Amino acid sequence: RAGAEFSENILNDPTLTADKSPWSHRFILALLILLGCLVMLNTSSVVDTARDVFKAWQIASGSYFPLEGPYVGAVFHAGPVWFYVLSVPLLLSPGWIVMNLWVGLLTGMKYALAYGCGSRLVDRRFGLIWACLLALPDWTSVNYLIFSHTNLIETTFLLSLYSLVRWQQGSDRWFLVLCLAIGLGIHAHPTVYAAGLLSVPFVVRSLWRKELGWGVLSAGALMAVLPLVPYIISQQLQQWPDLQTGQGYFESQPLWMNALGFLDVARGAVVDGPIVAFRHIMGLSGSGFYLVFGVFCVIVFGGLISAFLQIIHRREPRVGLYLLGATLICIAAVSLIRNVTIGPSTT
């Protein structure tokens, strides 16, 4: 009974966002997205970027339609959705600028989705804090300098979380969107499977209480698998080579050993990422680095404290517990399949 009450109360009143957001909030969100698009205009090209653009050009020109996506970590291929998404601007213009703006727009949608999630879980102010904190420098800052399929990780993950919230607030069609978002997210990077883990308790509860029919569940499963059908066909034709490389990957680093890297992954996300952004992207060093990093820490902790106070003000402590638990689950999910966040030296 307590578990059922918990899962019901972490989701706020579905009428919370029925009215339009304040114009100031819409302006800030639009500004965050616009600034991201403008930064993307100066993006550089590396081997992975050139590969992705070439595949997208082949699709747009109708010369080739890939069944597999990018090679992730030299272990297995993702699905091909990223290539097809990247081909959309090439149907309108072959220019590099249009493609950069398109990728910047897709990347920037994470701010709107974070705002939507926060608004429905607590209130609009909480959602705005969430969106603004996402804009701070960290590992994802690299996505605005060199774009690849990883640009869609946060967007697809937050789309999954937003769909979960909407579904639990009484809109069954959002369950199908949730499943599709998870399926698409795996195309961006396999770590998006963490969104599926967060959804499992709600699926089980809905089945137990007969709020989710088996027909809808089957349709949702189909929506999740559908984006992967081309990849499955390609692997079947090649006798599943990714299974061999994947088996070798996990044999070299067993899951239980990866789980021990939980704190390393957490530190990489919270501490190492911002340090790399400041030192290796912004080029800060010496006293300038320590000053900016100190201001960054004040902003982060101030934002988290403001979010916490907003939760208390709305009398929704369970939301805080849920988000904390969700964060820990996501870190654990990442550590299971990758026990270290690789990047330039932070020393």
Side-chain angles (χ1 to χ4, degrees), residues 20-39:
K20 292 184 178 180
S21 302
W23 71 267
S24 58
H25 290 194
R26 297 198 299 272
F27 174 78
I28 293 174
L29 292 174
L31 183 61
L32 290 174
I33 296 173
L34 176 62
L35 290 176
C37 290
L38 293 178
V39 172

Side-chain angles (χ1 to χ4, degrees), residues 81 159-160 163 172-187 214-230 232:
V81 168
L159 176 59
S160 301
S163 302
D172 290 340
R173 60 185 178 183
W174 280 97
F175 174 74
L176 301 179
V177 179
L178 166 65
C179 295
L180 180 61
I182 294 173
L184 292 174
I186 294 176
H187 286 254
W214 288 101
V216 177
L217 179 64
S218 300
L222 179 62
M223 295 292 285
V225 174
L226 193 60
L228 293 170
V229 169
I232 295 173

Side-chain angles (χ1 to χ4, degrees), residues 29 32-33 108-119 131 134 158 162:
L29 292 174
L32 290 174
I33 296 173
M109 290 307 297
K110 65 184 180 181
Y111 302 121
L113 290 168
Y115 179 78
C117 289
S119 296
L134 275 182
L158 285 169
Y162 180 75

